[in-house]
């Protein structure tokens, strides 16, 4: 029973626990108004993993980029799963739900994200499991000066690969 986790769309009542999860797990932290902004603007792109006892053990927060000069695309702002619940596919499920909504609700062509160069586990998730490609390296992207991989997942390319595998 303890391994049962429900992936569902986030509600306003989840924001505080999402913020807490973020504070425990990640050096990049956000003010509550930033969570509200995402939830009010792109409610379909925020998902949580809820444990059997109602505790939020992971979340994904994403948005649609509003640059008219670029093709329609989403961006993963933040993804986090508590250490106690890692290696169970929760992050993969959260990412796939958010990406699915980007594609089908907002008609996104691709999704982008930034990941620390030193974060091997996250890099493996994005590159191997979710088929993201490195688009660029952003020097000194993070507050502590660490570089980030700017990664992208092209939805059309991904669909073609899935069809070839079937």
């Amino acid at each position: 029973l303890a391994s049962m986790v429900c992936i569902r769309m986030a509600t306003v009542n989840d924001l505080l626990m999402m913020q807490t999860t973020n504070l425990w797990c990640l050096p990049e932290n956000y003010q509550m108004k930033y969570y509200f902004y995402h939830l009010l603007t792109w409610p379909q792109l925020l998902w949580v993993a809820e444990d059997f006892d109602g505790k939020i053990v992971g979340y994904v927060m994403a948005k649609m980029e509003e640059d008219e000069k670029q093709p329609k695309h989403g961006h993963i702002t933040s993804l986090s799963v508590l250490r106690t619940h890692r290696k169970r596919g929760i992050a993969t499920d959260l990412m796939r739900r958010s990406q699915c909504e980007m594609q089908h609700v907002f008609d996104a062509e691709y999704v982008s994200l930034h990941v620390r160069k030193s974060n091997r586990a996250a890099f493996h998730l994005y590159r191997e499991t979710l088929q993201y490609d490195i688009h660029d390296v952003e020097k000194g992207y993070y507050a502590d000066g660490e570089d980030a991989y700017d990664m992208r997942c092209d939805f059309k390319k991904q669909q073609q690969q899935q069809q070839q595998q079937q």
Side-chain angles (χ1 to χ4, degrees):
L1 189 69
S3 65
M4 299 260 310
V5 169
C6 161
I7 306 290
R8 63 169 175 76
M9 212 177 274
T11 70
V12 71
N13 298 323
D14 298 318
L15 295 182
L16 205 56
M17 278 207 271
M18 288 169 66
Q19 187 183 40
T20 303
T21 304
N22 169 272
L23 290 167
W24 280 339
C25 298
L26 295 171
E28 290 72 51
N29 309 129
Y30 310 104
Q31 291 183 319
M32 184 49 71
K33 64 182 179 185
Y34 198 56
Y35 290 88
F36 271 110
Y37 169 61
H38 277 72
L39 187 72
L40 292 170
T41 315
W42 307 279
Q44 303 91 333
L45 304 184
L46 279 73
W47 291 79
V48 292
E50 184 178 46
D51 212 343
F52 66 98
D53 60 0
K55 181 178 161 196
I56 300 301
V57 297
Y59 73 86
V60 62
M61 181 166 68
K63 63 182 181 175
M64 292 301 297
E65 292 289 11
E66 294 169 318
D67 184 349
E68 306 286 302
K69 294 184 283 292
Q70 292 183 320
K72 267 187 135 170
H73 69 285
H75 183 79
I76 303 293
T77 303
S78 184
L79 169 74
S80 184
V81 175
L82 293 181
R83 287 193 187 284
T84 50
H85 287 71
R86 291 186 187 164
K87 301 274 182 238
R88 296 191 199 177
I90 294 171
T92 302
D93 290 345
L94 288 166
M95 288 288 290
R96 288 197 169 131
R97 286 311 319 226
S98 190
Q99 290 177 181
C100 181
E101 302 292 319
M102 279 175 199
Q103 244 180 310
H104 298 112
V105 176
F106 295 100
D107 204 29
E109 290 184 29
Y110 67 90
V111 55
S112 64
L113 58 79
H114 291 98
V115 63
R116 286 178 176 271
K117 279 184 97 173
S118 64
N119 192 341
R120 301 310 301 164
F123 181 80
H124 184 270
L125 167 71
Y126 302 136
R127 183 72 201 96
E128 305 305 323
T129 309
L130 296 169
Q131 261 86 59
Y132 278 67
D133 295 310
I134 297 173
H135 176 70
D136 202 359
V137 174
E138 294 204 24
K139 297 275 179 214
Y141 178 81
Y142 290 99
D144 62 6
E146 186 173 346
D147 297 347
Y149 289 119
D150 172 0
M151 301 185 79
R152 290 188 182 179
C153 177
D154 185 309
F155 294 134
K156 285 188 182 71
K157 192 173 125 185
Q158 201 173 45
Q159 280 176 322
Q160 288 166 348
Q161 286 171 342
Q162 285 166 351
Q163 286 165 351
Q164 287 167 355
Q165 289 167 358
Q166 288 172 353

